[in-house]
Each structure stands twice: as C-alpha cells, then as structure tokens.
Amino acid sequence: MKKILIAAVISLFALSQAEAQVSFRPGLRGGVNFSHFTKGDNETYYDYYTDTYVSSTRDFTSKTDFYLGFYGALKLTKYYTLQPEVDYTRQGSTYRFPGTAEQKLNVSYLSIAVANKFTFNEKFNVHLGPTIDFQVENDFDTDSEVDLAFFLGAGYSFNKNFGLEARVKKGIIPVLDYSDGNHTNVVFSVGATYTFDMK
C-alpha cells in the first residue's frame, strides 16, 4: 500500500511539472490600424456666411495606417501566456470641422505593451492588457507626448508559428484638448503573427 501511495505521489508530481513547464518564443506581429479620435461635446461658433451662431461637433473619423513590432511569448501554463510587446504604430484621425476641408491628423508611437493571453483548445486565444505609448512623430500640435491605453483582442493560431489577431485599443490621455472637450485615441487593428521555434 505504501509503495502504491509513493508511486501515485511521484506520478502526480511529474504530471504537475510537465504541465508547469515554462517556454519562451519570440515573434513578429504586424497589420493594419483603423484609428480615430473620440468625439467631443457640441461647440458653438459664429458663421459669418449666415450671420448666426451654430452649434456643431468636430468630426473625427477613421484613418487607415499600419503597425509593426515584435514580442516575447512566455508561456507559463497550458492556458496562460505573458507576452511583452514593442510596436511601432501609426495612428491618428481624419478631421473635419464644419466649414473646413477634410484633413488627416497623423501621429506615430513607440508602444510598449504587456499582453495577457488566455488560450483555449490550442487554437483560439483572448488577450488583454495595458500599453504605454511614446510619440515619435506627428504633423499637428498634440497635448501629450505619452499615451496610456488598454486593449482587448482575440486571435487564432493556424499552427505553432502562424496566427491572426484583432484588437481594440483605447487611450485615456487626451491627444487633443479643444474647447469642445478632450479627444483620445481609439484604434482597431487586424494583423498577423509569426512565432519562431526555439530549439
């Protein structure tokens, strides 16, 4: 009886160790951004053509650009991976104020993120986490050179190397602070991932 108990304990220990094996695999990610700034409140301005005051909202709509980066996937359990990421991400918005021409507002960031990935049936995963984004380029006067954001996304792995993913990221620090309120980043991204094998 004692031998059976010892064998059972050893088997359980070996099984838990196999489940708890930690692995690290680097990878690349890239894709398309659809970004815009959040809308503000109605703003009243004087229209010289009609000689009246008009209440309207600045119109921020989506612009298309790209992101590219790399990550390190630290798989801690069968279901959970901690994934630090560094990305170059081009964002911004299409902008139009009533009575003016449409223009593009471009801003680029070096984004440092920590993704918490939860994997189901070895194919589908859900990931979420924070990012801190540092401006590296812009073509308009911004109110902050740093953005703090949070993202939520989902991915699908076709095999151990190649996958697809989609995310929504929402910034909380205003990029623009106009009289109609604060405008923050919103980004929807779709892209591909490639994870390298580590021998």
Side-chain angles (χ1 to χ4, degrees), residues 2-25:
K2 188 181 290 186
K3 290 181 179 180
I4 294 174
L5 283 173
I6 292 172
V9 168
I10 292 172
S11 298
L12 285 173
F13 178 77
L15 183 62
S16 66
Q17 289 297 103
E19 280 287 320
Q21 278 187 344
V22 175
S23 65
F24 176 81
R25 299 174 67 199

mmCIF file of all heavy atoms in Angstrom, residues 2-25:
data_model
loop_
_atom_site.group_PDB
_atom_site.id
_atom_site.type_symbol
_atom_site.label_atom_id
_atom_site.label_comp_id
_atom_site.label_asym_id
_atom_site.label_seq_id
_atom_site.Cartn_x
_atom_site.Cartn_y
_atom_site.Cartn_z
ATOM 1 N N LYS A 2 1.957 1.209 0.797
ATOM 2 C CA LYS A 2 2.854 2.361 0.874
ATOM 3 C C LYS A 2 3.513 2.616 -0.480
ATOM 4 O O LYS A 2 3.667 3.765 -0.897
ATOM 5 C CB LYS A 2 3.914 2.112 1.943
ATOM 6 C CG LYS A 2 4.780 3.331 2.225
ATOM 7 C CD LYS A 2 5.837 3.024 3.289
ATOM 8 C CE LYS A 2 5.193 2.847 4.647
ATOM 9 N NZ LYS A 2 6.203 2.688 5.725
ATOM 10 N N LYS A 3 3.900 1.532 -1.175
ATOM 11 C CA LYS A 3 4.536 1.695 -2.489
ATOM 12 C C LYS A 3 3.578 2.318 -3.501
ATOM 13 O O LYS A 3 3.969 3.129 -4.334
ATOM 14 C CB LYS A 3 5.023 0.339 -2.999
ATOM 15 C CG LYS A 3 6.205 -0.223 -2.221
ATOM 16 C CD LYS A 3 6.647 -1.549 -2.797
ATOM 17 C CE LYS A 3 7.848 -2.097 -2.032
ATOM 18 N NZ LYS A 3 8.294 -3.401 -2.570
ATOM 19 N N ILE A 4 2.302 1.934 -3.412
ATOM 20 C CA ILE A 4 1.302 2.490 -4.331
ATOM 21 C C ILE A 4 1.127 3.988 -4.083
ATOM 22 O O ILE A 4 1.055 4.790 -5.016
ATOM 23 C CB ILE A 4 -0.043 1.754 -4.171
ATOM 24 C CG1 ILE A 4 0.104 0.299 -4.630
ATOM 25 C CG2 ILE A 4 -1.149 2.455 -4.960
ATOM 26 C CD1 ILE A 4 -1.114 -0.549 -4.387
ATOM 27 N N LEU A 5 1.084 4.382 -2.790
ATOM 28 C CA LEU A 5 0.947 5.799 -2.450
ATOM 29 C C LEU A 5 2.149 6.604 -2.934
ATOM 30 O O LEU A 5 2.007 7.699 -3.484
ATOM 31 C CB LEU A 5 0.784 5.974 -0.930
ATOM 32 C CG LEU A 5 -0.601 5.642 -0.368
ATOM 33 C CD1 LEU A 5 -0.580 5.689 1.141
ATOM 34 C CD2 LEU A 5 -1.634 6.616 -0.914
ATOM 35 N N ILE A 6 3.353 6.056 -2.743
ATOM 36 C CA ILE A 6 4.571 6.749 -3.190
ATOM 37 C C ILE A 6 4.566 6.894 -4.712
ATOM 38 O O ILE A 6 4.890 7.957 -5.243
ATOM 39 C CB ILE A 6 5.821 5.991 -2.707
ATOM 40 C CG1 ILE A 6 5.938 6.086 -1.183
ATOM 41 C CG2 ILE A 6 7.075 6.539 -3.375
ATOM 42 C CD1 ILE A 6 7.028 5.222 -0.592
ATOM 43 N N ALA A 7 4.169 5.818 -5.409
ATOM 44 C CA ALA A 7 4.114 5.866 -6.868
ATOM 45 C C ALA A 7 3.084 6.893 -7.341
ATOM 46 O O ALA A 7 3.310 7.630 -8.316
ATOM 47 C CB ALA A 7 3.776 4.486 -7.423
ATOM 48 N N ALA A 8 1.951 6.985 -6.659
ATOM 49 C CA ALA A 8 0.912 7.953 -7.017
ATOM 50 C C ALA A 8 1.405 9.380 -6.817
ATOM 51 O O ALA A 8 1.179 10.254 -7.652
ATOM 52 C CB ALA A 8 -0.347 7.700 -6.201
ATOM 53 N N VAL A 9 2.094 9.623 -5.688
ATOM 54 C CA VAL A 9 2.632 10.961 -5.398
ATOM 55 C C VAL A 9 3.662 11.359 -6.459
ATOM 56 O O VAL A 9 3.659 12.485 -6.970
ATOM 57 C CB VAL A 9 3.234 11.020 -3.990
ATOM 58 C CG1 VAL A 9 4.034 12.299 -3.796
ATOM 59 C CG2 VAL A 9 2.135 10.923 -2.939
ATOM 60 N N ILE A 10 4.560 10.422 -6.809
ATOM 61 C CA ILE A 10 5.585 10.701 -7.823
ATOM 62 C C ILE A 10 4.939 10.984 -9.183
ATOM 63 O O ILE A 10 5.342 11.900 -9.897
ATOM 64 C CB ILE A 10 6.587 9.533 -7.922
ATOM 65 C CG1 ILE A 10 7.422 9.463 -6.643
ATOM 66 C CG2 ILE A 10 7.491 9.680 -9.135
ATOM 67 C CD1 ILE A 10 8.315 8.243 -6.540
ATOM 68 N N SER A 11 3.912 10.221 -9.530
ATOM 69 C CA SER A 11 3.218 10.417 -10.802
ATOM 70 C C SER A 11 2.531 11.779 -10.854
ATOM 71 O O SER A 11 2.611 12.496 -11.870
ATOM 72 C CB SER A 11 2.176 9.316 -11.020
ATOM 73 O OG SER A 11 2.796 8.054 -11.098
ATOM 74 N N LEU A 12 1.874 12.154 -9.743
ATOM 75 C CA LEU A 12 1.219 13.461 -9.694
ATOM 76 C C LEU A 12 2.236 14.594 -9.788
ATOM 77 O O LEU A 12 2.014 15.593 -10.465
ATOM 78 C CB LEU A 12 0.403 13.593 -8.402
ATOM 79 C CG LEU A 12 -0.915 12.819 -8.360
ATOM 80 C CD1 LEU A 12 -1.542 12.899 -6.981
ATOM 81 C CD2 LEU A 12 -1.886 13.373 -9.403
ATOM 82 N N PHE A 13 3.377 14.426 -9.121
ATOM 83 C CA PHE A 13 4.431 15.444 -9.162
ATOM 84 C C PHE A 13 4.980 15.592 -10.581
ATOM 85 O O PHE A 13 5.160 16.706 -11.090
ATOM 86 C CB PHE A 13 5.553 15.087 -8.186
ATOM 87 C CG PHE A 13 6.693 16.059 -8.211
ATOM 88 C CD1 PHE A 13 6.589 17.286 -7.576
ATOM 89 C CD2 PHE A 13 7.878 15.758 -8.884
ATOM 90 C CE1 PHE A 13 7.632 18.198 -7.604
ATOM 91 C CE2 PHE A 13 8.916 16.662 -8.922
ATOM 92 C CZ PHE A 13 8.797 17.887 -8.288
ATOM 93 N N ALA A 14 5.238 14.473 -11.253
ATOM 94 C CA ALA A 14 5.760 14.510 -12.623
ATOM 95 C C ALA A 14 4.753 15.157 -13.570
ATOM 96 O O ALA A 14 5.115 15.940 -14.457
ATOM 97 C CB ALA A 14 6.096 13.096 -13.090
ATOM 98 N N LEU A 15 3.460 14.845 -13.372
ATOM 99 C CA LEU A 15 2.422 15.423 -14.210
ATOM 100 C C LEU A 15 2.326 16.929 -14.014
ATOM 101 O O LEU A 15 2.209 17.698 -14.970
ATOM 102 C CB LEU A 15 1.068 14.759 -13.902
ATOM 103 C CG LEU A 15 -0.121 15.210 -14.754
ATOM 104 C CD1 LEU A 15 0.139 14.873 -16.220
ATOM 105 C CD2 LEU A 15 -1.399 14.562 -14.265
ATOM 106 N N SER A 16 2.404 17.389 -12.755
ATOM 107 C CA SER A 16 2.323 18.827 -12.481
ATOM 108 C C SER A 16 3.533 19.553 -13.046
ATOM 109 O O SER A 16 3.429 20.672 -13.543
ATOM 110 C CB SER A 16 2.201 19.087 -10.979
ATOM 111 O OG SER A 16 3.389 18.697 -10.309
ATOM 112 N N GLN A 17 4.712 18.915 -12.998
ATOM 113 C CA GLN A 17 5.907 19.528 -13.568
ATOM 114 C C GLN A 17 5.796 19.655 -15.082
ATOM 115 O O GLN A 17 6.201 20.656 -15.668
ATOM 116 C CB GLN A 17 7.154 18.709 -13.215
ATOM 117 C CG GLN A 17 7.557 18.814 -11.741
ATOM 118 C CD GLN A 17 7.936 20.234 -11.373
ATOM 119 O OE1 GLN A 17 7.160 20.936 -10.752
ATOM 120 N NE2 GLN A 17 9.114 20.673 -11.765
ATOM 121 N N ALA A 18 5.240 18.630 -15.717
ATOM 122 C CA ALA A 18 5.064 18.677 -17.171
ATOM 123 C C ALA A 18 4.092 19.782 -17.559
ATOM 124 O O ALA A 18 4.273 20.484 -18.543
ATOM 125 C CB ALA A 18 4.561 17.322 -17.681
ATOM 126 N N GLU A 19 3.015 19.956 -16.752
ATOM 127 C CA GLU A 19 2.037 20.999 -17.033
ATOM 128 C C GLU A 19 2.637 22.387 -16.816
ATOM 129 O O GLU A 19 2.270 23.345 -17.485
ATOM 130 C CB GLU A 19 0.816 20.821 -16.114
ATOM 131 C CG GLU A 19 -0.169 19.767 -16.577
ATOM 132 C CD GLU A 19 -0.957 20.243 -17.777
ATOM 133 O OE1 GLU A 19 -1.347 21.411 -17.809
ATOM 134 O OE2 GLU A 19 -1.147 19.432 -18.692
ATOM 135 N N ALA A 20 3.588 22.471 -15.846
ATOM 136 C CA ALA A 20 4.123 23.772 -15.458
ATOM 137 C C ALA A 20 5.383 24.155 -16.214
ATOM 138 O O ALA A 20 6.028 25.131 -15.879
ATOM 139 C CB ALA A 20 4.395 23.771 -13.952
ATOM 140 N N GLN A 21 5.770 23.385 -17.222
ATOM 141 C CA GLN A 21 6.971 23.723 -17.985
ATOM 142 C C GLN A 21 6.816 25.074 -18.645
ATOM 143 O O GLN A 21 5.841 25.352 -19.331
ATOM 144 C CB GLN A 21 7.246 22.656 -19.049
ATOM 145 C CG GLN A 21 7.976 21.445 -18.502
ATOM 146 C CD GLN A 21 8.383 20.497 -19.616
ATOM 147 O OE1 GLN A 21 7.880 20.590 -20.719
ATOM 148 N NE2 GLN A 21 9.307 19.603 -19.316
ATOM 149 N N VAL A 22 7.809 25.921 -18.417
ATOM 150 C CA VAL A 22 7.788 27.276 -18.961
ATOM 151 C C VAL A 22 8.577 27.291 -20.262
ATOM 152 O O VAL A 22 9.661 26.718 -20.346
ATOM 153 C CB VAL A 22 8.395 28.271 -17.944
ATOM 154 C CG1 VAL A 22 8.486 29.664 -18.555
ATOM 155 C CG2 VAL A 22 7.565 28.289 -16.661
ATOM 156 N N SER A 23 8.025 27.964 -21.269
ATOM 157 C CA SER A 23 8.729 28.094 -22.543
ATOM 158 C C SER A 23 8.708 29.554 -22.988
ATOM 159 O O SER A 23 7.798 30.310 -22.642
ATOM 160 C CB SER A 23 8.095 27.207 -23.617
ATOM 161 O OG SER A 23 6.778 27.645 -23.904
ATOM 162 N N PHE A 24 9.733 29.943 -23.758
ATOM 163 C CA PHE A 24 9.820 31.299 -24.287
ATOM 164 C C PHE A 24 10.052 31.237 -25.785
ATOM 165 O O PHE A 24 10.955 30.551 -26.254
ATOM 166 C CB PHE A 24 10.955 32.077 -23.623
ATOM 167 C CG PHE A 24 11.144 33.460 -24.195
ATOM 168 C CD1 PHE A 24 10.330 34.503 -23.778
ATOM 169 C CD2 PHE A 24 12.107 33.697 -25.165
ATOM 170 C CE1 PHE A 24 10.481 35.776 -24.308
ATOM 171 C CE2 PHE A 24 12.263 34.968 -25.701
ATOM 172 C CZ PHE A 24 11.450 36.009 -25.273
ATOM 173 N N ARG A 25 9.230 31.983 -26.552
ATOM 174 C CA ARG A 25 9.371 32.018 -28.008
ATOM 175 C C ARG A 25 9.167 33.452 -28.494
ATOM 176 O O ARG A 25 8.128 34.060 -28.222
ATOM 177 C CB ARG A 25 8.356 31.096 -28.675
ATOM 178 C CG ARG A 25 8.507 29.626 -28.289
ATOM 179 C CD ARG A 25 7.387 28.796 -28.859
ATOM 180 N NE ARG A 25 7.458 28.734 -30.310
ATOM 181 C CZ ARG A 25 6.429 28.403 -31.091
ATOM 182 N NH1 ARG A 25 5.248 28.127 -30.559
ATOM 183 N NH2 ARG A 25 6.572 28.365 -32.396
#
